[in-house]
Amino acid sequence: MAPGGLVMTDQGGRTWQLRLPGPDGWATLSNGRKYRAGVPKVEIAGSLGKQDVKPGMLLQFECTLDESGKVSAPVAEMRFGGKFKPGVRQDRRRSGRDGVRSQVTGTVEKIQGALVSLRVPRSKFAKKGIFTVPVEDRLKVELKSQDIRHARENDVISAVQGAELVSGDFLVQQISIRTSSQASAAAPT
């Protein structure tokens, strides 16, 4: 990403400087001028891998917890990019022999081998506010976001709508971006 926008190369080899208005609806053009354009619609989706999990990411996943709060098996899937509320929530209706089905949401503190430590509100499962979960090597992290900061180098713009201005800038009104683990050059925030 370039400051204030994205650089896109189309199939014909032409390079476009995409300008995205901020939350206030204003965009800064390449000539420094401000342009009122409205807030763009942004959709970013795709799958990330374990190597893409970084401190600061807010993740959510489901697991089975035993009575002591230990996860019964390594987690294979997580979600990133939503407006999640941190915490450990149990669904007693989904209890089994191995424990209680639970949803855990927290901010990644550290990754050490097959363990991911998340900051969560203090509870009987996280007395110090840290919840550590084992993850599979082939962890799949589903990304769905409306935050352009989650776009990364080499992501694929699957659709874009907007207007080309006299300045040569392309002002984005709507954009869809597909991301993947292969495009992990920059850590999403």
Side-chain angles (χ1 to χ4, degrees), residues 43-49 52 78-81 140-145 150 152 155-156 158 176-182:
E43 294 176 359
I44 302 174
S47 292
L48 307 174
D52 299 304
M78 294 182 165
R79 292 174 293 285
F80 171 65
K140 178 183 171 189
V141 180
E142 178 187 350
L143 168 64
K144 284 189 179 178
S145 178
H150 294 152
R152 302 176 306 169
D155 283 352
V156 176
S158 52
S176 296
I177 299 173
R178 190 176 72 245
T179 191
S180 71
S181 185
Q182 299 164 348

Side-chain angles (χ1 to χ4, degrees), residues 46-113:
S47 292
L48 307 174
K50 180 180 165 186
Q51 69 277 8
D52 299 304
V53 174
K54 306 285 185 232
M57 293 174 76
L58 181 65
L59 298 177
Q60 184 178 77
F61 60 92
E62 290 194 12
C63 62
T64 300
L65 295 177
D66 66 16
E67 287 298 316
S68 66
K70 300 284 186 215
V71 178
S72 63
V75 172
E77 295 182 7
M78 294 182 165
R79 292 174 293 285
F80 171 65
K83 295 181 179 179
F84 306 131
K85 182 179 178 186
V88 179
R89 292 166 193 73
Q90 291 191 307
D91 186 351
R92 294 270 175 214
R93 296 170 297 170
R94 295 174 63 198
S95 298
R97 193 177 54 192
D98 295 338
V100 179
R101 229 21 217 162
S102 303
Q103 183 181 72
V104 178
T105 305
T107 303
V108 176
E109 284 286 312
K110 70 178 181 177
I111 304 100
Q112 193 168 25

Side-chain angles (χ1 to χ4, degrees), residues 5 7 9-10 12 30 38 57 72 81 99 130 134 136 141 147 150 156-157 166 168-169 182:
V7 176
T9 304
D10 65 21
S30 57
M57 293 174 76
S72 63
I130 298 292
E136 292 187 1
V141 180
D147 187 339
H150 294 152
V156 176
I157 297 173
V166 177
D169 296 301
Q182 299 164 348

Side-chain angles (χ1 to χ4, degrees), residues 15-29:
T15 300
W16 297 82
Q17 178 69 44
L18 303 182
R19 297 293 174 173
L20 283 99
D24 60 357
W26 287 89
T28 303
L29 305 181

Side-chain angles (χ1 to χ4, degrees), residues 105-176:
T105 305
T107 303
V108 176
E109 284 286 312
K110 70 178 181 177
I111 304 100
Q112 193 168 25
L115 298 175
V116 175
S117 295
L118 304 165
R119 175 147 314 276
V120 298
R122 291 174 193 246
S123 69
K124 71 178 187 176
F125 303 111
K127 291 183 181 11
K128 294 183 179 180
I130 298 292
F131 186 91
T132 301
V133 60
V135 296
E136 292 187 1
D137 282 338
R138 294 182 167 264
L139 175 69
K140 178 183 171 189
V141 180
E142 178 187 350
L143 168 64
K144 284 189 179 178
S145 178
Q146 296 176 344
D147 187 339
I148 194 63
R149 294 174 299 172
H150 294 152
R152 302 176 306 169
E153 187 176 343
N154 298 324
D155 283 352
V156 176
I157 297 173
S158 52
V160 64
Q161 292 178 352
E164 184 176 7
L165 304 178
V166 177
S167 65
D169 296 301
F170 188 89
L171 197 57
V172 175
Q173 295 167 328
Q174 185 170 342
I175 189 167
S176 296

